[in-house]
Amino acid sequence: MIVVMDADCNEKELQEILDLIDEEGFEAHLSQGIDKQIVGLIGDSAGKEQLQERINSYNQVDKVIPVMEPYKLTGWKFAPEKTVIDVDGVKIGGENPVVMAGPCSVESKEQILETARVVKEAGAEVLRGGAFKPRTSPYSFQGLGERGLELLSLAREKTGLKIITELMDTEHIEMVTSHTDIIQIGSRNMKNYALLKEIGRLDKPVMLKRGMASTVKDWLLAAEYIMSEGNQDVMLCERGIKTFCDDTRYTMDLSAIPLVREKSHLPVIADPSHGTGRWELVAPMSRAAVAGGADGLLIEVHPEPKNALSDGPQSLKPEKFEKLMNELEKLNHALSDIDDSVSPAV
Amino acid sequence: MIVVMDADCNEKELQEILDLIDEEGFEAHLSQGIDKQIVGLIGDSAGKEQLQERINSYNQVDKVIPVMEPYKLTGWKFAPEKTVIDVDGVKIGGENPVVMAGPCSVESKEQILETARVVKEAGAEVLRGGAFKPRTSPYSFQGLGERGLELLSLAREKTGLKIITELMDTEHIEMVTSHTDIIQIGSRNMKNYALLKEIGRLDKPVMLKRGMASTVKDWLLAAEYIMSEGNQDVMLCERGIKTFCDDTRYTMDLSAIPLVREKSHLPVIADPSHGTGRWELVAPMSRAAVAGGADGLLIEVHPEPKNALSDGPQSLKPEKFEKLMNELEKLNHALSDIDDSVSPAV
Amino acid sequence: MIVVMDADCNEKELQEILDLIDEEGFEAHLSQGIDKQIVGLIGDSAGKEQLQERINSYNQVDKVIPVMEPYKLTGWKFAPEKTVIDVDGVKIGGENPVVMAGPCSVESKEQILETARVVKEAGAEVLRGGAFKPRTSPYSFQGLGERGLELLSLAREKTGLKIITELMDTEHIEMVTSHTDIIQIGSRNMKNYALLKEIGRLDKPVMLKRGMASTVKDWLLAAEYIMSEGNQDVMLCERGIKTFCDDTRYTMDLSAIPLVREKSHLPVIADPSHGTGRWELVAPMSRAAVAGGADGLLIEVHPEPKNALSDGPQSLKPEKFEKLMNELEKLNHALSDIDDSVSPAV
Amino acid sequence: MIVVMDADCNEKELQEILDLIDEEGFEAHLSQGIDKQIVGLIGDSAGKEQLQERINSYNQVDKVIPVMEPYKLTGWKFAPEKTVIDVDGVKIGGENPVVMAGPCSVESKEQILETARVVKEAGAEVLRGGAFKPRTSPYSFQGLGERGLELLSLAREKTGLKIITELMDTEHIEMVTSHTDIIQIGSRNMKNYALLKEIGRLDKPVMLKRGMASTVKDWLLAAEYIMSEGNQDVMLCERGIKTFCDDTRYTMDLSAIPLVREKSHLPVIADPSHGTGRWELVAPMSRAAVAGGADGLLIEVHPEPKNALSDGPQSLKPEKFEKLMNELEKLNHALSDIDDSVSPAV
């Protein structure tokens, strides 16, 4: 941590700051400049946001600049190697990107079983489908709830696909975890810290979607909430951020994929369906994400998008999904031939 | 709702859409243009997001454009007049802006009692103070919890100030509501719909902070979640949004204040402390918010910002707060003399 | 400037950096930490972006952090006091906010003379009106050109109002400056450095609008381009930035007003017409800007907005403008009574 | 164009609007709803922004919604097929992505010739290099000017590479065009309409970079400024937009690549060097861009980034560039095998 102060700052205030630094167990190094003076803190300041704020509150302090990244467990520093999450045989974070596909919402037995059948056939390994849906309007379809979870379990039984579905609140933890293989934490809940802490005490893989107004740093800190409670099986998912650009539903920040690979050992998934909001862009953005190093894809597929109860405009029809899976296979083949291709920055 | 399609679109698909519109109880009006044709839906389409998405999923549909605002209870349409929330004598939404002031976090008995005393003396009517704190890092100070709530109750007893404090999860509803006069829902939880619904079943005023990536429309829909469950005592609070602009902590969207006044009958509060993140900007932005029509202010005041456990850099010292309260009094006086000054757009 | 490196970085690279710092005339201070080491540069590093980039290109450099603000002439450091620009008797930056009002575009003799008459009568001191219009589409009305400038001169002659109009390119410098009292540089040209430099060589006041994707820092650096060529009569104008928020045309960053007051001695104007894009919000945002410390307002007024050739939706009708001017007078009176009210942060 | 009005709007105002529509040569269709009534305009309303604004200025008009895309020449409607720009044998927009590489700025004869040699050897077809540099601060290196252009010509002579370099103002048009094969219009000048019009009268290919606050729609309209003056050889370049996300220099909006492919027949290039600002992300984002359908890449390469006078932190060293070129070759091979892979949305 570095403290920048006016060169001619009041001696008394400087001394107070030096005392505070000492009390907190850091060593201080002073560099006196012409207009500014700089105090460097020596010691492990990760997680010392509070000290940073206190120093920043002094009148004569210009700014306090953190030097260390604020996350610990999500970073590479103490990780021997890249995390591979084994979901009952499906390996996420390993050599091949894993495709998770299915409808936005579970709507009926026929719909989910039919979708499961086609995505399985096309090569997907995980079935996605929402039973509890976070909707902007209270008057929109809110999901089938427990009945939806039961249908997902049934689809797993019939196809062998693993299940991923969203958990929206602490109240339904037991119900959701008893049916799903991977818990999805949605974008709107990325900073629902009470929920993150509860999830951290479970023994179940989690996919943490990026908040639509979150930097990569804040996203890794949200993962840190889960990991610091014990659960290490966390994967991240880029799903688009809010920007001025209204040509697409969100702006998919694809550079977050290689950036997470550089900063963290956790697997990172891309969701081009939410990221763009338009089915026409799902195939090119899926190829782009995989070429950029994604460990997996989350793709909305619906047998009849026009009858979908949610997110129809961004859902692929089965035949388009199948075509995309073929393209991805060729792409993976080329990428596997590229040395380090999916781990560029490590 | 308006559906835009290619002029030469397939008859069969057009018919399917017309049938769907009919099934849902709307009447359809067709306008055939040169390149495009337009289908207008006649009927109350507020809250019909699902129908909108289904139609939008048809291949030959270019776009679906909602015509009505999607909110009901928060809008002016069914409201006889502006909502005034009576918090045991303190009227929010009435003639004079209400000032809510206090520390970011409750830290100790001395700190909260001393702050309560000074803000009361300067003219504040409500005491703010966090007992449960949503922090970006799990390693930051998370608040005193129940002990903090008890100290707030004690401060109310000693000063007569009303209390506002944040509720972060459904688990603590009873504990928090037994101590507070106004429940604060923070920016990070604006889309925590499970929490909003629970709050909607209570008989206690709520202040709903704007999500940092939320439009005014989404914010009013979040309020709609609370109101549609029964609780009508909702006030809104603008606290800054996320933009590219890093000169301030957030970008305070002051135009949201008169815009909410135009769209909704609910009171709207401004939080210049979080909105700017710098105490130097709190006084001018407080004056600006009141001149722009705010029904109240939420201001961080700390007796010793440099010893604050959170948000020191944006907290006012007691003497600066007192000076600001004097300025606001003069300003209110001038504004009261201005016809319609706080309700410009109605 | 501070350089952050890994603690165990290569000696050779560290030495190269130290040599480079020495060559450039700075003194280096090293602080060796546990994970990181920090090199502080002592000396005036304002304007040393290039050195910063060169150091940042070393493999083992984590980041380079500037300590000094990068602007010189726009900052307070060498300014004895706040700049007041005297436009032939109209003082901008002085005690009272100056109102500049008029149509978006000059459209006809009748329109501009009639508008000039009504804004003069209501108390405006400067007449705005575009003769050259920057339009998003090449098929939109592009302004009357020289004829528009002549009509502005005529309006000045008839009313005594000063004139402000936009200059879009170096080609028309002579033509525009021969008719206008203040040159307006629009948001789209804030980073048109060739134009800024030419303007810097003139002896004519300039109003520099903020770029819609520019931080306050970049904006002050754009002003620095003008001032470093000689022209010191620069005023700034906040007119809204691009954000995700589509409730208004732009998001008016009102906190930029007191922030500029804190960082710079230059006057700062607010443009609520472009900032919001909706006439309903112009009056409350004008009041807010003045209460927040603006040195002036730029307001679109049109005798018949529905016949305007551009920006009708954000133009005030004469009677609403007059009402606003009355409100502002009362507000100014209250603010003048507030000690330091328009210079909060100095 | 669709006009939305209150159902109970004033007859007189409605009639005025209908008359206006008629005058402008459109036919009006009315749909009377319960709360709203809708007027549809039949006729070609592309480029009718002015009429849209006029109607929007009526008091009783809620909003005016354009139905047609506002661009003409850049859209697919009148284009028989995808544009392929032939730069003296190098085909941009054809089957294979074209790589343009070189330093940010031309700095010296040795630097530019050495860089030209290595990028040519690695397979690049166009040499990039700035002679005139748009810099945020007036105190930063501004480029070698004419001397830089001469060095680029020399590099072409020695290597056979085509040249791309930036033109910043109308004054240097002749000088720059006499040396370059492709004129680059930078992000800061995307809305410098005077410059765009001049370029539109030349017979020389242009690369138009996206403005950092521009939607895809505005970007295509800027291209329309050039094309409507005659010059049809326009390619677009995505180079990152301004968002809240400070993990990278800009946020590269990769979805703009397939979106431009869907909306326009113009070739689209990706610039991952500016888009991310960090050399570590250039290789993965280059692969992603090509897999997402880019017609080319613009990549900063510098023999010694740490001695670069600008943009060192985002420049690749020659050996890393060579490795990337090998990867891209494998990727192209896989993509060529994918039916329609680079033209997904057409």
Side-chain angles (χ1 to χ4, degrees):
Chain A
M1 202 186 302
I2 295 165
V3 183
V4 180
M5 305 178 74
D6 280 337
D8 56 355
C9 86
N10 174 317
E11 272 302 307
K12 195 171 142 282
E13 193 162 300
L14 176 60
Q15 194 54 51
E16 271 187 52
I17 291 172
L18 294 177
D19 290 349
L20 176 59
I21 288 169
D22 186 58
E23 261 168 49
E24 295 276 331
F26 293 87
E27 206 182 314
H29 274 214
L30 254 87
S31 309
Q32 177 75 36
I34 295 165
D35 287 301
K36 300 287 174 192
Q37 67 184 331
I38 288 157
V39 186
L41 272 69
I42 312 299
D44 180 7
S45 62
K48 294 287 179 183
E49 282 74 16
Q50 190 176 316
L51 178 60
Q52 185 181 331
E53 284 188 347
R54 286 182 64 188
I55 297 178
N56 212 356
S57 302
Y58 279 83
N59 264 346
Q60 298 186 336
V61 167
D62 258 31
K63 49 185 162 187
V64 182
I65 304 160
V67 167
M68 309 281 294
E69 301 285 11
Y71 33 84
K72 299 182 173 182
L73 300 170
T74 53
W76 277 108
K77 202 173 158 190
F78 302 110
E81 55 192 24
K82 186 150 187 286
T83 289
V84 178
I85 300 174
D86 187 332
V87 184
D88 204 10
V90 174
K91 298 207 164 68
I92 299 171
E95 268 181 44
N96 285 309
V98 169
V99 176
M100 314 182 185
C104 176
S105 303
V106 182
E107 294 165 8
S108 70
K109 186 172 159 186
E110 293 63 39
Q111 174 242 24
I112 194 68
L113 291 185
E114 170 63 7
T115 312
R117 194 185 60 73
V118 299
V119 303
K120 165 87 180 183
E121 221 170 85
E125 296 177 90
V126 181
L127 177 68
R128 62 151 291 153
F132 295 97
K133 299 298 308 170
R135 304 302 300 271
T136 304
S137 165
Y139 310 121
S140 297
F141 174 61
Q142 310 270 321
L144 294 184
E146 188 161 16
R147 173 75 185 136
L149 295 171
E150 289 163 0
L151 291 173
L152 287 169
S153 279
L154 183 65
R156 172 175 42 208
E157 210 177 285
K158 298 263 185 198
T159 59
L161 287 166
K162 309 305 161 212
I163 301 297
I164 183 168
T165 198
E166 180 163 356
L167 172 66
M168 281 176 60
D169 47 65
T170 49
E171 190 192 337
H172 295 99
I173 287 184
E174 217 179 293
M175 192 198 288
V176 171
T177 52
S178 74
H179 288 284
T180 197
D181 299 297
I182 306 171
I183 299 169
Q184 176 179 319
I185 300 296
S187 183
R188 290 165 179 81
N189 278 318
M190 195 204 84
K191 294 192 172 179
N192 182 339
Y193 301 125
L195 183 58
L196 299 183
K197 284 182 192 171
E198 290 284 344
I199 296 301
R201 293 180 202 118
L202 302 178
D203 179 25
K204 179 77 85 176
V206 187
M207 187 177 78
L208 179 66
K209 288 194 146 192
R210 180 176 177 184
M212 50 188 101
S214 292
T215 59
V216 168
K217 196 187 79 172
D218 283 5
W219 189 17
L220 290 173
L221 281 170
E224 193 92 19
Y225 262 95
I226 300 172
M227 295 179 79
S228 63
E229 296 288 332
N231 190 345
Q232 306 300 304
D233 286 345
V234 179
M235 65 196 90
L236 302 161
C237 177
E238 163 63 31
R239 48 78 73 211
I241 56 173
K242 271 280 207 181
T243 74
F244 68 84
C245 190
D246 58 5
D247 303 299
T248 43
R249 187 172 175 190
Y250 296 98
T251 298
M252 200 168 170
D253 177 11
L254 215 91
S255 65
I257 306 269
L259 193 63
V260 164
R261 297 291 300 267
E262 180 188 327
K263 301 277 184 199
S264 172
H265 53 92
L266 299 176
V268 58
I269 311 296
D271 174 351
S273 304
H274 283 89
T276 67
R278 307 182 65 224
W279 67 262
E280 296 93 334
L281 301 178
V282 170
M285 290 305 279
S286 293
R287 293 195 305 263
V290 165
D295 292 304
L297 295 167
L298 190 72
I299 296 177
E300 290 193 355
V301 176
H302 196 286
E304 292 183 281
K306 58 197 179 193
N307 290 325
L309 297 182
S310 57
D311 279 356
Q314 68 196 35
S315 297
L316 289 186
K317 289 186 192 170
E319 58 273 22
K320 292 210 187 295
F321 177 66
E322 204 182 329
K323 178 167 176 298
L324 170 60
M325 290 299 281
N326 285 332
E327 293 173 9
L328 291 176
E329 202 189 330
K330 285 175 193 161
L331 202 60
N332 281 334
H333 196 262
L335 290 165
S336 72
D337 200 34
I338 291 175
D339 179 33
D340 257 338
S341 70
V342 292
S343 184
V346 181
Chain B
M1 203 184 306
I2 296 164
V3 183
V4 180
M5 305 179 72
D6 280 337
D8 56 353
C9 87
N10 172 321
E11 274 301 311
K12 194 170 143 285
E13 193 161 303
L14 176 60
Q15 195 52 53
E16 272 186 52
I17 291 171
L18 295 176
D19 291 349
L20 176 59
I21 289 169
D22 186 59
E23 260 168 48
E24 297 276 331
F26 292 88
E27 205 183 313
H29 274 216
L30 253 87
S31 308
Q32 177 74 37
I34 295 165
D35 287 302
K36 300 288 173 191
Q37 67 185 329
I38 287 158
V39 186
L41 273 70
I42 311 299
D44 180 6
S45 61
K48 294 287 179 183
E49 282 74 17
Q50 191 175 313
L51 178 61
Q52 185 180 332
E53 284 188 348
R54 285 183 65 186
I55 297 178
N56 211 356
S57 302
Y58 280 83
N59 264 347
Q60 296 185 336
V61 168
D62 258 29
K63 47 187 164 187
V64 182
I65 303 162
V67 166
M68 310 281 292
E69 301 286 10
Y71 35 84
K72 299 183 173 181
L73 300 169
T74 55
W76 277 108
K77 200 173 161 190
F78 303 111
E81 52 193 26
K82 185 150 187 288
T83 290
V84 177
I85 300 174
D86 188 333
V87 184
D88 203 11
V90 174
K91 297 207 165 70
I92 299 172
E95 268 182 44
N96 285 309
V98 169
V99 176
M100 315 182 185
C104 177
S105 304
V106 182
E107 294 165 8
S108 70
K109 187 172 159 186
E110 293 64 37
Q111 175 242 22
I112 194 67
L113 291 185
E114 169 63 7
T115 312
R117 194 185 60 75
V118 299
V119 303
K120 166 86 180 183
E121 222 169 84
E125 295 177 271
V126 181
L127 176 67
R128 61 151 293 155
F132 295 97
K133 300 298 306 169
R135 304 303 300 273
T136 305
S137 164
Y139 310 121
S140 297
F141 174 61
Q142 310 269 322
L144 293 183
E146 189 161 17
R147 173 74 186 136
L149 296 170
E150 289 162 0
L151 292 173
L152 288 168
S153 280
L154 182 64
R156 173 175 42 206
E157 209 178 286
K158 298 261 184 199
T159 59
L161 288 166
K162 310 303 162 212
I163 301 296
I164 182 167
T165 198
E166 180 163 357
L167 172 65
M168 281 176 60
D169 47 66
T170 49
E171 191 192 337
H172 296 97
I173 287 184
E174 216 178 295
M175 192 197 290
V176 170
T177 52
S178 74
H179 287 284
T180 197
D181 299 297
I182 307 171
I183 299 169
Q184 176 179 318
I185 300 296
S187 183
R188 291 164 179 82
N189 277 318
M190 195 204 84
K191 294 193 172 178
N192 183 338
Y193 301 125
L195 182 60
L196 299 183
K197 285 182 192 171
E198 291 284 342
I199 294 301
R201 291 178 204 121
L202 301 177
D203 178 26
K204 179 75 87 177
V206 188
M207 186 178 78
L208 179 66
K209 289 193 145 191
R210 179 176 179 185
M212 48 189 101
S214 292
T215 59
V216 168
K217 196 186 78 173
D218 283 6
W219 189 17
L220 289 173
L221 281 169
E224 193 91 19
Y225 262 94
I226 299 172
M227 295 178 79
S228 63
E229 296 289 331
N231 189 344
Q232 306 300 306
D233 286 346
V234 179
M235 63 197 91
L236 302 162
C237 177
E238 163 64 30
R239 47 78 70 208
I241 56 173
K242 272 281 209 180
T243 74
F244 69 83
C245 191
D246 57 6
D247 302 299
T248 42
R249 188 173 175 189
Y250 296 97
T251 297
M252 200 166 169
D253 178 11
L254 215 91
S255 65
I257 306 267
L259 193 62
V260 164
R261 297 291 300 267
E262 180 188 329
K263 302 277 184 197
S264 172
H265 53 90
L266 299 177
V268 58
I269 311 295
D271 175 352
S273 305
H274 283 90
T276 66
R278 306 182 65 225
W279 67 263
E280 296 93 333
L281 303 177
V282 169
M285 290 305 280
S286 294
R287 293 194 305 262
V290 166
D295 293 303
L297 294 168
L298 189 71
I299 297 179
E300 291 193 354
V301 176
H302 196 286
E304 292 182 282
K306 58 199 178 191
N307 289 325
L309 297 182
S310 56
D311 279 355
Q314 69 196 35
S315 297
L316 288 187
K317 288 185 191 170
E319 59 272 23
K320 293 210 186 295
F321 177 67
E322 206 181 327
K323 180 167 175 297
L324 170 61
M325 290 298 282
N326 285 332
E327 294 174 7
L328 292 176
E329 203 190 329
K330 286 173 192 161
L331 203 59
N332 281 334
H333 197 261
L335 291 165
S336 72
D337 201 34
I338 291 174
D339 179 34
D340 258 338
S341 70
V342 293
S343 184
V346 182
Chain C
M1 203 184 302
I2 295 165
V3 183
V4 180
M5 305 179 73
D6 280 337
D8 56 355
C9 86
N10 173 318
E11 275 301 308
K12 193 168 143 285
E13 193 160 304
L14 175 59
Q15 194 53 52
E16 271 186 53
I17 292 171
L18 295 177
D19 290 350
L20 175 60
I21 290 169
D22 186 59
E23 261 168 48
E24 296 276 332
F26 293 88
E27 205 182 314
H29 274 216
L30 254 87
S31 307
Q32 176 74 37
I34 295 167
D35 287 302
K36 299 288 174 191
Q37 67 185 330
I38 288 158
V39 186
L41 272 69
I42 312 299
D44 180 6
S45 61
K48 294 287 179 182
E49 283 74 18
Q50 190 175 316
L51 177 61
Q52 185 180 332
E53 284 188 348
R54 285 182 65 186
I55 297 178
N56 212 354
S57 303
Y58 279 83
N59 264 347
Q60 297 185 336
V61 168
D62 258 29
K63 48 185 162 187
V64 182
I65 304 160
V67 167
M68 309 282 292
E69 301 286 11
Y71 34 83
K72 298 181 174 183
L73 300 170
T74 54
W76 278 107
K77 202 175 159 189
F78 302 110
E81 54 192 25
K82 187 151 186 288
T83 289
V84 177
I85 300 175
D86 188 333
V87 184
D88 203 10
V90 173
K91 296 207 165 70
I92 300 172
E95 265 181 46
N96 285 310
V98 168
V99 176
M100 315 182 185
C104 177
S105 305
V106 182
E107 293 165 9
S108 70
K109 186 171 157 188
E110 294 63 38
Q111 174 242 25
I112 194 68
L113 291 186
E114 169 63 6
T115 312
R117 193 186 59 75
V118 298
V119 303
K120 166 86 181 184
E121 221 170 84
E125 295 177 272
V126 181
L127 176 68
R128 61 150 294 154
F132 295 98
K133 300 299 306 171
R135 304 303 301 271
T136 304
S137 164
Y139 310 121
S140 298
F141 175 60
Q142 311 269 322
L144 294 183
E146 188 160 17
R147 172 76 185 135
L149 296 171
E150 289 163 0
L151 292 173
L152 287 169
S153 280
L154 182 64
R156 174 176 40 207
E157 209 177 287
K158 299 259 185 201
T159 60
L161 288 166
K162 310 303 162 214
I163 301 297
I164 182 167
T165 198
E166 181 164 355
L167 172 66
M168 281 176 61
D169 46 65
T170 49
E171 191 191 336
H172 296 99
I173 287 185
E174 216 178 295
M175 191 198 289
V176 171
T177 52
S178 73
H179 288 284
T180 198
D181 298 298
I182 306 172
I183 298 169
Q184 175 179 318
I185 300 297
S187 183
R188 291 165 178 82
N189 277 319
M190 195 203 85
K191 294 192 173 180
N192 182 339
Y193 300 126
L195 183 59
L196 299 184
K197 284 182 193 172
E198 290 284 344
I199 295 302
R201 292 179 203 121
L202 302 177
D203 179 26
K204 179 76 87 177
V206 188
M207 187 178 78
L208 179 66
K209 287 195 145 190
R210 180 177 178 183
M212 49 189 100
S214 292
T215 60
V216 169
K217 197 187 78 172
D218 283 6
W219 189 18
L220 289 173
L221 281 170
E224 193 91 20
Y225 262 96
I226 300 172
M227 295 178 79
S228 63
E229 296 289 332
N231 190 344
Q232 306 300 305
D233 286 345
V234 179
M235 63 196 92
L236 302 162
C237 178
E238 163 63 30
R239 48 78 73 212
I241 56 173
K242 271 281 209 181
T243 74
F244 68 85
C245 192
D246 57 5
D247 303 299
T248 42
R249 187 172 175 191
Y250 296 98
T251 297
M252 199 167 169
D253 177 11
L254 215 90
S255 64
I257 306 268
L259 194 62
V260 165
R261 297 291 300 266
E262 180 188 328
K263 302 277 184 199
S264 172
H265 53 91
L266 299 176
V268 58
I269 311 296
D271 175 352
S273 304
H274 283 90
T276 66
R278 307 182 65 225
W279 67 262
E280 296 93 334
L281 302 178
V282 170
M285 290 305 280
S286 293
R287 293 194 305 263
V290 166
D295 293 303
L297 294 168
L298 189 71
I299 296 179
E300 290 194 354
V301 176
H302 196 286
E304 291 183 283
K306 57 199 179 193
N307 289 326
L309 297 182
S310 56
D311 279 355
Q314 69 196 34
S315 296
L316 288 186
K317 289 187 191 169
E319 59 272 22
K320 292 208 187 296
F321 177 66
E322 204 182 329
K323 179 166 175 298
L324 170 60
M325 290 298 282
N326 285 333
E327 294 173 9
L328 292 176
E329 202 189 331
K330 285 174 191 159
L331 203 59
N332 281 334
H333 196 261
L335 290 165
S336 72
D337 200 34
I338 290 175
D339 179 35
D340 257 339
S341 70
V342 292
S343 184
V346 181
Chain D
M1 203 184 305
I2 295 164
V3 182
V4 180
M5 305 178 74
D6 279 338
D8 56 354
C9 86
N10 175 318
E11 272 303 309
K12 193 170 143 284
E13 193 161 303
L14 176 59
Q15 195 52 52
E16 272 186 52
I17 291 171
L18 294 176
D19 291 349
L20 176 60
I21 289 169
D22 186 59
E23 261 168 50
E24 296 276 332
F26 292 87
E27 204 181 316
H29 274 215
L30 253 86
S31 309
Q32 176 75 36
I34 296 164
D35 287 302
K36 299 288 173 192
Q37 66 185 331
I38 287 159
V39 186
L41 273 69
I42 312 299
D44 180 7
S45 62
K48 296 285 180 185
E49 281 75 16
Q50 191 174 315
L51 177 61
Q52 185 179 333
E53 283 187 350
R54 286 182 65 187
I55 297 178
N56 212 357
S57 302
Y58 279 83
N59 264 345
Q60 296 186 338
V61 169
D62 259 29
K63 47 184 164 188
V64 182
I65 303 160
V67 167
M68 310 281 292
E69 301 285 10
Y71 34 84
K72 299 182 173 183
L73 300 170
T74 54
W76 276 109
K77 202 175 161 188
F78 301 110
E81 53 192 27
K82 186 150 187 288
T83 291
V84 178
I85 300 174
D86 188 333
V87 184
D88 202 10
V90 174
K91 298 206 165 68
I92 300 171
E95 268 182 44
N96 285 311
V98 169
V99 176
M100 315 182 185
C104 176
S105 304
V106 182
E107 294 165 8
S108 70
K109 186 171 159 187
E110 293 65 38
Q111 175 242 24
I112 194 66
L113 291 185
E114 169 62 8
T115 313
R117 194 185 60 74
V118 299
V119 303
K120 165 86 179 183
E121 222 171 84
E125 294 177 272
V126 181
L127 177 68
R128 61 150 293 154
F132 294 97
K133 299 299 307 170
R135 304 304 300 272
T136 304
S137 165
Y139 310 121
S140 297
F141 175 61
Q142 309 269 324
L144 294 183
E146 188 162 15
R147 172 75 186 135
L149 295 171
E150 289 163 1
L151 291 173
L152 287 169
S153 280
L154 183 66
R156 174 175 41 208
E157 207 178 287
K158 297 261 186 200
T159 59
L161 288 166
K162 310 303 163 213
I163 301 297
I164 182 167
T165 198
E166 181 164 355
L167 172 66
M168 280 176 61
D169 47 65
T170 48
E171 189 192 337
H172 296 98
I173 287 185
E174 215 178 296
M175 191 198 288
V176 170
T177 51
S178 74
H179 287 284
T180 198
D181 299 296
I182 307 171
I183 298 169
Q184 177 179 319
I185 300 296
S187 182
R188 289 164 180 82
N189 278 319
M190 195 204 84
K191 295 192 172 179
N192 182 338
Y193 301 125
L195 182 59
L196 298 184
K197 284 181 192 171
E198 290 283 344
I199 295 302
R201 292 178 203 122
L202 301 178
D203 179 27
K204 178 78 89 177
V206 187
M207 186 177 78
L208 179 67
K209 288 193 145 190
R210 179 177 179 184
M212 48 189 102
S214 293
T215 59
V216 168
K217 196 186 78 172
D218 283 5
W219 189 17
L220 289 173
L221 281 170
E224 193 91 19
Y225 262 95
I226 299 172
M227 295 178 77
S228 63
E229 296 289 331
N231 190 344
Q232 306 299 305
D233 286 344
V234 179
M235 64 196 92
L236 302 161
C237 177
E238 162 64 31
R239 49 78 73 209
I241 57 173
K242 271 281 209 180
T243 74
F244 68 85
C245 191
D246 58 4
D247 302 299
T248 42
R249 187 172 175 190
Y250 296 98
T251 297
M252 200 168 170
D253 177 10
L254 215 90
S255 65
I257 305 268
L259 193 64
V260 165
R261 297 290 301 266
E262 180 188 328
K263 301 277 183 197
S264 172
H265 53 91
L266 299 177
V268 58
I269 311 295
D271 175 351
S273 304
H274 282 89
T276 66
R278 306 182 66 225
W279 67 261
E280 297 92 332
L281 302 178
V282 170
M285 290 305 280
S286 294
R287 294 194 305 261
V290 166
D295 292 303
L297 294 168
L298 189 71
I299 297 178
E300 290 193 356
V301 176
H302 196 286
E304 292 182 282
K306 58 197 177 192
N307 290 326
L309 297 182
S310 57
D311 279 356
Q314 69 196 35
S315 297
L316 288 187
K317 289 187 192 170
E319 58 272 23
K320 292 210 187 295
F321 177 66
E322 205 182 327
K323 180 166 176 298
L324 170 60
M325 290 298 283
N326 285 333
E327 293 173 9
L328 291 176
E329 203 190 329
K330 286 175 191 159
L331 202 60
N332 280 335
H333 196 260
L335 290 165
S336 72
D337 200 34
I338 290 174
D339 179 33
D340 258 340
S341 71
V342 291
S343 184
V346 182

